[in-house]
Amino acid sequence: MIDCTLRDGEQAPGVWFSLEEKLRLATLLSASGVDVLDAGFPASAPGEVDALLAMRELGLAARIGATARPLAGDVRAAARARADEVFLFMPTSDLRLREVMGITREHAFDTIRAGAELVAEAGMTLNVVFEDATRADPGYLIDIAARLRGHVPIARLVLADSVGCAEPVSMGRLVSEVDDALDHDVVLCTHCHNDFGLATASTLAAVGAGAKAISCTVNGIGERAGNADLAECVAALTHLYGVKHAVDPLALVGLAETAEELSGVHTSPTKPVTGFNVYRHESGVHVDALLKQRRSYEFLPAEWVGRSIEYVLGKHSGAALVRHLLRRAGIPCDDASVREDLRDIKLRTERRDKSEFHAAYAARRSFLRSALAGQDPGAVVDAHLRDAPPASWERV
């Protein structure tokens, strides 16, 4: 299990973590059983190197990985950060290669091969990340993977759905095709984005097709709509796929709450696995069935993540819950008194003042427009940009 919260999660617009926060998250992730941390992009800022070095001093069980482009400067930065592993990424789709970078497929191969050789020479474990793999020619992906294996040892080959445009069937097909062509001799991994809400589904489809590793982020935070969610993937691998892993489910809620607090990206109460409402029930029909047999409306046990099932009195409650609560309290009740109590509960719910709802919504909107807004682009001094040469991906 690879977690990218400290790198891709921090790339979510407006999100940043202090050094202390990165160390706190890294400690929790490692303690939860995550195998590898994609912990940062050392070449992007001096503070990234310092953060990875500080993580090294913690003596974490998780291996510390660094993201890098296949450039000498990036690989040197990862080495300075004393990374155990490098996630060496290179665009693979013709759209990115030709129309954005202006290079040929062969030039791209030469570039990533050179970077891969530098990683191997530095003694760091190599993960090759095929960026935009789901819009690339599968034959090209297979060709460059096979050729790279002839030059350097590859720990994992990461097929990235960089813009979230894959759907589960196509992701499974891509993984299966690449896996077969490479004789199942390379550990395939996915890195899925969530632009269509399919990141978790596509990740799981990849596992079903032969992927032996996955990358996720806590709460799915990341670029744009984010990434495959760690808790969702762990729950599905456990309860639906029967796949063994090292992640402790009892750590998932704490991780989710910590990431929400530190990132400022607030999650929905209905967020699967760790959301506030996931194990809470109000509907009378549901509660009546749950009181008789919990599995009737609870496939994912609340206790698995350290939560408890909760019953909520409200507009949609039924007589079964009122009767259950009264009997548990030792209060005698008959059908008439239960009906009267239920009618009172429903009336009081409908008459509740909703000003608290409106205030919370307004506060959240204000927070998004302030704390997550980032720096004002207008604050950039135009003179610094006017005479500067255009930035080059290969020179950065």
Side-chain angles (χ1 to χ4, degrees), residues 8 15 54 80 113 157 163 172 331 351 360 372:
D8 204 335
V15 173
R80 286 198 305 275
R113 182 189 67 183
L157 179 62
V163 293
I331 301 173
R351 291 170 179 168
L372 289 187

Side-chain angles (χ1 to χ4, degrees), residues 21 38 126 197 314 342 369 374:
E21 290 170 340
D38 180 357
L126 174 65
L342 191 60
R369 294 296 181 186

